[in-house]
Amino acid sequence: MPHAQPPSDTPAVRRRAVLTAAATAAAAPVLAGLAAPPASAAPASATSASATSAGTPSAAASRGRRPCALPGGGDLGPNVLVFDPSTPDIQARLDEVFRQQEAAQFGTGRYALLFKPGVYHGLNAQLGFYTSIAGLGLSPDDTTINGDVTVDAGWFGGNATQNFWRSAENLALVPVSGTNRWAVAQAAPFRRMHVHGGLNLAPSGFGWASGGYIADSRIEGEVGPYSQQQWYTRDSAVGSWLNGVWNMVFSGVEGAPAQSFPSPPYTTLETTPVSREKPFLYVDRGGYRVFLPAKRTDARGVTWGRGTPRGSSLPLSRFYVARPGVSAATLNQALDQGLHLLLTPGVYHLDRPVRVNRAGTVVLGLGYATLVPDNGVTAVKVADVDGVRLAGFLIDAGPVNSATLLEVGPPGARRDHFADPTTVQDVFIRIGGAGAGRATTSMVINSRHTIVDHTWVWRADHGEGVGWDTNRADYGVVVNGHDVLATGLFVEHFNKYDVQWYGQRGRTIFFQNEKAYDAPNQAAIQNGALKGYAAYKVGDDVTAHEGWGLGSYCFYNVDPTIVQHHGFAAPDVPGVKFHDLLVVSLGGQGQYEHVINDLGAPTSGTSTVPSTVVSYP
């Protein structure tokens, strides 16, 4: 996209425009072009990471003979750029990646910027699309940048609501001005970071913003959301928190503001019931390893800073290091051999599911590695086994409809995984936007005790291949398994239900939703006798469920007369409980009659003021 003010007549921009008044009003008391390269191309001046050479499967497989064993370890590829304090011209290399990725919202470029332990001076790492920056120490404090890791919105005229798909992890920052800017929207995690100063979550000029997620991080100073509409912070520590617009949720956060929803809109839990941090790559005596953090119950505060973190690690030799162009058959062969998967940056086309059948398997993506099912298959299927870790990749629906895109556990899965749950972390799903894409259901969770920790499941509202029936996707997330926990659940724009929860004893901490903008008329969303499909529906037979800090927004820009009966639907039984719910009509483009079931005042007018329910039932 050009470096210019975005067109004012696109639906996405019209929707963002209505947020200005509401966000600015809420923050007022505290307010004083290059095209993306091919996936295999790296900037000309960059050096790429390499270790021992990775082999490729023999052609014998295609001739019917038993394929040669695949080696573990190997070259991380040209789009993983590794720096140490002696690397020359680091800033120039960072700037080159940013120029390519700044506006490449639906491009194919993918990059991981990795910093070996040490101290770096005078850097400003600006992050564009599909760019991850991370330190390679066991602790964030092993890798210190005296400078900034910046996300701003100059590419989009000061509008940060489309600053998707980028991440920062495992670094200590000493910001030049005392405050680091991290103006992001969905799918942009800030994990395992130590900021020696403040953190500003809004773009320059305090423009529009719609994020976001922080976990396992310590911010010594003040966190300023300013215009951020919603935010979730988990198992972290903050010096202070400045303000809130609609929905600020905290669990296990030292220094979090006290519970006060809806004014200020803070939902605060002392601890997170169960958590296990995302796996990460680090360097140990010159070799790469992947650290696997241990499970915590009733977690609070960061996992690091008091000696060696709890967990285990695996050498890179235990991973098949995949490169774009490798087949699904080869990925499955590696898994069958007992290897884990490390997906290096790029786009992977699949003609069959990647099948994770072994307990304890790790599938870790770098630089938003992207899986595309080309022929209507499910991209990833996980067996009903203990301790699988899926982390750090994007699934992009293909042009042929897939019944599902990610399936955790087969239908009817029932084994107990309390001691060693499967985790799904920073795994994002997209239908449309980069081109035609279709899927009936995006993510299905059948395995018990699964933890879904930060996902954005998105039926695209802008980009290529977008339309009510063009990128058709009826259901976002379906949970059939019992005892499933979601921490940071973002699900948007599905043709019918965004979330359906049928398992018992499910829990969600933070939910952000927008109903599909592009419904052509009231009849298109009619759900029997109900007007519209709830954003979050708990099944009629469920007797135990709980949620904290859930919000749903509507912006029916094709037919603004559409009425949505409610944002949330649940059985009226004592064991089903919700805390701090809200619905919002964005600028009067459609309205809600209720918040949950038949409870809660209707939205009205064009003022973009939430209607809330503090406690259900």
Side-chain angles (χ1 to χ4, degrees), residues 565-572 594-599 616:
H565 183 76
H566 49 218
F568 303 90
D572 184 8
H594 301 286
V595 179
I596 181 168
N597 295 349
D598 296 327
L599 301 178
Y616 172 88

Side-chain angles (χ1 to χ4, degrees), residues 221-545:
E222 181 179 73
V223 179
Y226 298 100
S227 54
Q228 280 286 354
Q229 298 147 20
Q230 68 277 318
W231 199 276
Y232 176 49
T233 306
R234 179 182 62 72
D235 298 351
S236 294
V238 299
S240 59
W241 192 275
L242 184 60
N243 72 299
V245 177
W246 294 333
N247 193 28
M248 305 281 120
V249 180
F250 309 84
S251 67
V253 178
E254 298 169 353
Q259 169 71 32
S260 58
F261 187 90
S263 182
Y266 299 146
T267 299
T268 302
L269 288 74
E270 283 295 306
T271 62
T272 303
V274 185
S275 64
R276 188 172 69 187
E277 299 302 330
K278 175 177 172 284
F280 61 90
L281 193 68
Y282 73 104
V283 172
D284 178 54
R285 292 187 294 275
Y288 291 113
R289 299 182 69 89
V290 173
F291 192 80
L292 308 177
K295 171 188 162 186
R296 297 198 292 170
T297 56
D298 297 321
R300 182 172 174 84
V302 301
T303 63
W304 47 270
R306 299 179 180 91
T308 302
R310 290 178 54 234
S312 58
S313 71
L314 296 168
L316 193 63
S317 60
R318 296 279 303 279
F319 285 78
Y320 176 68
V321 180
R323 301 277 289 273
V326 71
S327 68
T330 299
L331 297 176
N332 284 329
Q333 180 191 340
L335 292 170
D336 290 344
Q337 283 182 206
L339 294 171
H340 307 273
L341 296 182
L342 185 72
L343 305 174
T344 64
V347 179
Y348 297 73
H349 288 269
L350 307 176
D351 63 353
R352 67 195 70 180
V354 174
R355 296 185 178 273
V356 181
N357 296 323
R358 189 181 72 256
T361 299
V362 180
V363 180
L364 176 61
L366 300 179
Y368 287 81
T370 301
L371 306 179
V372 182
D374 287 325
N375 56 351
V377 301
T378 299
V380 179
K381 290 191 173 188
V382 180
D384 192 18
V385 295
D386 277 351
V388 172
R389 304 184 194 226
L390 308 179
F393 57 89
L394 170 66
I395 298 175
D396 203 354
V400 178
N401 186 76
S402 293
T404 59
L405 294 172
L406 172 63
E407 182 182 274
V408 179
R414 61 187 63 192
R415 293 180 180 174
D416 187 304
H417 303 295
F418 173 79
D420 193 6
T422 285
T423 47
V424 181
Q425 299 177 285
D426 300 347
V427 174
F428 309 117
I429 295 178
R430 178 173 69 196
I431 303 96
R438 297 173 67 93
T440 303
T441 303
S442 295
M443 180 186 294
V444 180
I445 307 296
N446 294 317
S447 286
R448 292 185 62 188
H449 299 103
T450 299
I451 300 171
V452 180
D453 176 44
H454 190 227
T455 188
W456 185 37
V457 182
W458 185 56
R459 175 182 167 263
D461 62 287
H462 62 274
E464 297 296 326
V466 170
W468 182 250
D469 289 311
T470 304
N471 61 327
R472 183 83 192 186
D474 283 350
Y475 308 111
V477 175
V478 176
V479 179
N480 297 314
H482 300 326
D483 307 293
V484 171
L485 171 66
T487 51
L489 184 60
F490 299 73
V491 188
E492 297 189 299
H493 304 153
F494 286 85
N495 294 80
K496 293 184 179 179
Y497 290 115
D498 297 278
V499 172
Q500 297 173 90
W501 206 298
Y502 299 111
Q504 297 286 0
R505 298 174 299 279
R507 292 174 290 185
T508 294
I509 304 173
F510 183 89
F511 172 68
Q512 187 266 325
N513 165 263
E514 289 179 346
K515 295 302 297 175
Y517 297 168
D518 54 350
N521 49 50
Q522 187 77 47
I525 64 163
Q526 194 66 20
N527 181 16
L530 287 176
K531 300 170 185 175
Y533 293 80
Y536 188 111
K537 176 180 172 57
V538 179
D540 295 341
D541 296 329
V542 173
T543 58
H545 187 91

Side-chain angles (χ1 to χ4, degrees), residues 49-72:
S50 63
T52 59
S53 176
T56 57
S58 167
S62 63
R63 296 195 295 269
R65 299 204 305 269
R66 189 178 188 87
C68 297
L70 297 168

Side-chain angles (χ1 to χ4, degrees), residues 577-593:
K577 303 175 183 179
F578 286 95
H579 314 273
D580 302 355
L581 300 173
L582 67 99
V583 295
V584 182
S585 168
L586 303 179
Q589 303 287 295
Q591 301 290 347
Y592 292 91
E593 291 181 327

